Amino acid sequence: MRPSSKLLLASCLLPLSCLAQPLDTPPPLDLATAETLLLEANPAILQARSAVAGARAGMDIAGARPNPTLSAAVTSINPARNSAGGYWDRPMDSVLRLDQTFERGDKRELRLRAADRNLAATDADLDNTIRLARMALANAWLNLRAAQEIRQIAAESARLAGRAAEAAELRGKAGDLAGVDVARFAADAARVANDAVQADLDHARARLDLALLLGNRVVPDSLQAAADWPDAALPANEGKERPDLLAARQRLALADAQRDLARAQRTRDVSVGVQYEHFPPDARNTYGISVSIPLFLGNDYRGDIARSEAEFTAAEQQLAAPRAAVDGERARLRSEYAARAARLQRIRDVVLPAAERAGRGADIAIQKGGMGLTDYLDTQRNLRAARIEAIQARADLSRVALMLRLAGSAP
């Protein structure tokens, strides 16, 4: 085959080989990208946004004025009296009436004030829902980030333990290693393999938890956290009021407006009516005006007023309780941050380097016969535990730092 024909054949087969390759997996998901997906797809956030839309529609409802009422009636119909004329000349009373209610006591303004406070509280609820969702996302993302590294360590440890068990079995068959030692290698390999299976299960659970928070916009099997850990520096207190406290303050103002609205019900509304009447042949066209006011004989709105007072008191309590807890929560998180930072530093500076040196020394000593099998296996277990503890300590410190950023403060 000529060279040009070979090149042509290769160029034709290249797209087929590319199509035969599996699809690329999605890039690793960092925490910032995950927060963007969270805002777009999280079910709790979407529900809170719907509540805001409903509260915004409540402003239109509160500002609406009473509708006028148009009524038409035909009365005083006497079948015994006949008329040779048309319908309009027949001897019956035709009435056309228009009634309009005029609210008094600033009821519309009070409704608007209550609806505005409700909208502000619902907006704050949305912000708080986003805050809580971000906290849950930080936990889920960090759990996946840690589970990925623990899974790698467990898989590597299982592979090395399996090789050690196979080598021990060969040595046992050759007579260089006692049967009890071969059994110990096999038991340790089985134990490490079980740890790897558990790490796989924890990794799968972490994927599912994170995918659920993201509204299943990302397939759990392809979900992977980015390699970079989030910033674990101690955040400064920004002094921004926490949205749940803001929502509680707005609901207190809402309860106050509703209390004033309940009291305003005792201010009587006035209904004015205009009437046109046609009754041939006695009176062809007549007009009338009426004014009506309610009489508070059956309901004087005392129940509505008492309930609004109780709701105002409850709103006061709902504001006082979380306000006292915010500063305590921040103090607890700061203390926890200091403890987590000190723990991570000890593991990084002391525990993990010592475990790494002991592991390397144990590998050399076991080959030269200078260490017993039990001590060697203990050294390897300690090394695995130190590596996993370092990962968990790093995740815990990042978690506390993120919780502090989202903790807010009391006014």
Side-chain angles (χ1 to χ4, degrees):
M1 181 179 294
R2 291 180 300 176
S4 60
S5 301
K6 293 181 179 180
L7 292 176
L8 178 61
L9 179 61
S11 63
C12 293
L13 293 178
L14 181 59
L16 296 177
S17 62
C18 294
L19 291 175
Q21 293 179 356
L23 296 176
D24 293 337
T25 58
L29 185 67
D30 57 30
L31 189 55
T33 305
E35 288 187 353
T36 302
L37 292 174
L38 181 80
L39 297 177
E40 296 175 353
N42 183 260
I45 295 177
L46 296 179
Q47 184 177 2
R49 284 177 177 160
S50 298
V52 172
R56 190 170 289 111
M59 291 290 296
D60 295 333
I61 297 173
R65 301 180 186 275
N67 289 321
T69 302
L70 179 65
S71 57
V74 178
T75 62
S76 303
I77 300 174
N78 188 355
R81 296 179 62 185
N82 296 322
S83 175
Y87 176 82
W88 195 245
D89 296 326
R90 292 181 182 180
M92 55 187 178
D93 194 3
S94 300
V95 180
L96 185 65
R97 182 179 180 86
L98 180 66
D99 291 280
Q100 175 66 60
T101 299
F102 294 93
E103 292 183 315
R104 301 174 63 244
D106 296 329
K107 294 185 181 67
R108 180 174 179 272
E109 288 73 14
L110 291 173
R111 286 198 308 270
L112 284 171
R113 194 180 87 186
D116 181 69
R117 296 303 91 198
N118 182 57
L119 177 59
T122 309
D123 277 331
D125 284 338
L126 172 60
D127 293 339
N128 191 55
T129 301
I130 293 174
R131 183 183 72 90
L132 296 176
R134 290 179 64 192
M135 293 174 71
L137 176 68
N139 277 312
W141 190 92
L142 287 169
N143 288 339
L144 177 60
R145 178 67 182 81
Q148 287 177 184
E149 289 201 15
I150 293 174
R151 180 170 175 255
Q152 292 176 358
I153 292 174
E156 181 182 357
S157 299
R159 180 175 56 83
L160 294 177
R163 288 184 178 179
E166 292 174 359
E169 185 177 359
L170 292 176
R171 291 179 60 189
K173 291 179 180 180
D176 294 339
L177 193 64
V180 63
D181 293 333
V182 174
R184 287 180 179 176
F185 270 106
D188 183 72
R191 185 180 300 109
V192 176
N194 286 336
D195 293 339
V197 172
Q198 183 62 44
D200 288 338
L201 179 59
D202 293 339
H203 180 251
R205 287 175 177 173
R207 277 179 161 180
L208 290 172
D209 292 341
L210 182 56
L212 184 61
L213 283 173
L214 299 178
N216 292 320
R217 293 288 183 91
V218 182
V219 180
D221 293 341
S222 63
L223 195 56
Q224 182 181 0
D228 295 334
W229 290 95
D231 184 17
L234 182 64
N237 187 2
E238 299 177 356
K240 184 178 180 180
E241 185 179 8
R242 220 166 71 172
D244 56 343
L245 292 179
L246 178 59
R249 284 201 304 105
Q250 297 296 343
R251 285 201 163 81
L252 179 61
L254 169 62
D256 183 54
Q258 289 176 334
R259 181 176 60 174
D260 292 339
L261 181 60
R263 293 170 179 171
Q265 299 302 314
R266 285 185 171 177
T267 302
R268 291 172 173 83
D269 297 335
V270 177
S271 296
V272 178
V274 179
Q275 178 175 305
Y276 167 78
E277 187 172 359
H278 178 73
F279 191 14
D282 300 333
R284 299 187 62 87
N285 298 307
T286 60
Y287 302 91
I289 298 177
S290 65
V291 177
S292 62
I293 59 174
L295 300 178
F296 296 157
L297 300 179
N299 180 18
D300 60 356
Y301 299 99
R302 69 178 64 183
D304 298 58
I305 296 173
R307 183 176 62 182
S308 66
E309 292 286 354
E311 291 175 351
F312 180 80
T313 303
E316 285 183 323
Q317 297 302 319
Q318 290 175 358
L319 175 61
R323 179 181 289 173
V326 170
D327 291 336
E329 181 181 355
R330 287 192 63 86
R332 177 185 62 80
L333 288 173
R334 286 183 175 275
S335 298
E336 187 175 350
Y337 180 89
R340 299 293 186 187
R343 174 175 175 249
L344 177 61
Q345 185 176 2
R346 286 193 296 270
I347 293 173
R348 280 182 171 177
D349 297 345
V350 180
V351 177
L352 187 58
E356 296 281 358
R357 289 193 301 270
R360 290 191 296 269
D363 289 336
I364 298 174
I366 194 68
Q367 294 175 4
K368 295 181 177 181
M371 175 179 283
L373 179 59
T374 301
D375 293 336
Y376 175 76
L377 295 178
D378 287 341
T379 303
Q380 296 303 314
R381 282 193 291 268
N382 291 335
L383 177 58
R384 291 194 299 270
R387 289 174 176 173
I388 292 174
E389 188 179 7
I391 296 170
Q392 292 173 339
R394 183 67 179 83
D396 290 341
L397 181 61
S398 297
R399 183 177 290 108
V400 176
L402 290 171
M403 295 304 107
L404 266 173
R405 291 190 183 96
L406 298 171
S409 60

